[in-house]
Amino acid sequence: TSPVLRRSFYRLIPSAFAYPFDGDAGMLMVGFAVIMVIPALLPGPLAYLGMFAGFYAGLCMFAFLEDVILTSAKGDEEAPKFPTIAMERAEILELVWKFYAPAVFCFAAPILCRMYASDIPSWVTPALFGAGCVYFPMAILAVVMSDSPGALNPIYVVPAMVRAPVAYLTMVVLFGVIGSITFGLETWIGPVAETHRLLAMAVSAVERIVQIYFAIAFARILGLFYCRFEDRLGWFTITKDAD
């Protein structure tokens, strides 16, 4: 039996924050961060090459996060190896919707309200954003595990949220804390970076590393949650029903 299956979900959480330094994950953090700031280093038309490299790195990052969730859900202890993608249109679209569809589903409403709905009560936008934060972790887990955008349907997500309520609430709180840290870091170091170009690039790289670190750690937590509560979630029929 995997060591993961012999430990409680709460005891596994601290290990998730050490997980990004295991195997290829640590090198990936630094490598992805550097590639994503390359466009700022290249002059003229070469910047487009840098943008393509950054786009490809982003897709590989999505593929790696998906692998982290899936391998963690199976109880694997080691981080997955470096992912490669063939840049085929179908593969690109699949990776994009797996990570952006849940984000759009959960956060489009509060963003649109903030941008365009000035006559609504002041509490509506924060309430919608809070609801999105509660829904998002289970939504992205459902999409990755089912390999179908149909798993965003509340008929799958909402019952799963209440089948392990304390553990899921813990995961939502962690998601909120991680989001607050990354947003606060960006807000705090942004003005500092504007004083010098090289400083801006260094700060951007550090910011990316922090963001990728937390993304990997949270992907690990999502997979561990599924591993420990698979029987309660009852998602073995999601793929068939959601397609």
Side-chain angles (χ1 to χ4, degrees):
T1 304
S2 167
V4 171
L5 297 175
R6 295 196 297 265
R7 300 167 63 188
S8 74
F9 175 68
Y10 309 101
R11 290 178 178 269
L12 291 168
I13 289 175
S15 67
F17 292 96
Y19 181 86
F21 301 105
D22 179 36
D24 290 345
M27 293 184 294
L28 288 173
M29 278 194 299
V30 177
F32 286 150
V34 171
I35 292 174
M36 288 176 180
V37 299
I38 281 179
L41 298 172
L42 299 176
L46 290 178
Y48 292 104
L49 180 61
M51 291 174 63
F52 177 80
F55 175 73
Y56 183 76
L59 291 176
C60 288
M61 188 68 226
F62 285 160
F64 182 71
L65 292 176
E66 181 183 24
D67 287 345
V68 168
I69 294 173
L70 293 174
T71 55
S72 298
K74 293 189 296 183
D76 291 355
E77 288 283 289
E78 296 182 358
K81 299 299 182 182
F82 183 85
T84 57
I85 60 174
M87 292 298 287
E88 296 179 357
R89 183 173 179 270
E91 188 175 11
I92 292 173
L93 290 177
E94 181 180 3
L95 285 170
V96 169
W97 68 248
K98 277 184 181 177
F99 287 89
Y100 280 106
V104 171
F105 186 89
C106 294
F107 299 112
I111 291 173
L112 291 174
C113 283
R114 183 170 183 176
M115 292 175 61
Y116 301 111
S118 58
D119 56 343
I120 62 174
S122 59
W123 58 266
V124 172
T125 299
L128 288 173
F129 183 77
C133 289
V134 171
Y135 199 89
F136 180 78
M138 192 66 79
I140 197 165
L141 180 60
V143 167
V144 170
M145 296 308 301
S146 69
D147 200 27
S148 170
L152 285 171
N153 193 320
I155 197 172
Y156 299 116
V157 175
V158 174
M161 290 164 59
V162 300
R163 285 172 183 157
V166 178
Y168 186 66
L169 179 60
T170 302
M171 195 161 60
V172 169
V173 170
L174 287 172
F175 177 66
V177 170
I178 289 171
S180 299
I181 291 173
T182 54
F183 178 77
L185 181 66
E186 184 175 353
T187 303
W188 179 64
I189 66 178
V192 177
E194 294 176 359
T195 61
H196 195 278
R197 186 186 176 201
L198 290 178
L199 177 61
M201 290 186 292
V203 166
S204 178
V206 171
E207 184 181 345
R208 290 290 188 185
I209 290 174
V210 172
Q211 291 173 342
I212 293 169
Y213 164 78
F214 280 123
I216 295 172
F218 194 71
R220 173 67 172 172
I221 292 171
L222 286 172
L224 292 174
F225 177 87
Y226 184 87
C227 182
R228 296 302 294 127
F229 300 106
E230 179 180 4
D231 292 341
R232 294 196 204 178
L233 297 177
W235 275 354
F236 41 82
T237 59
I238 268 191
T239 301
K240 179 180 68 176
D241 294 339
D243 285 342

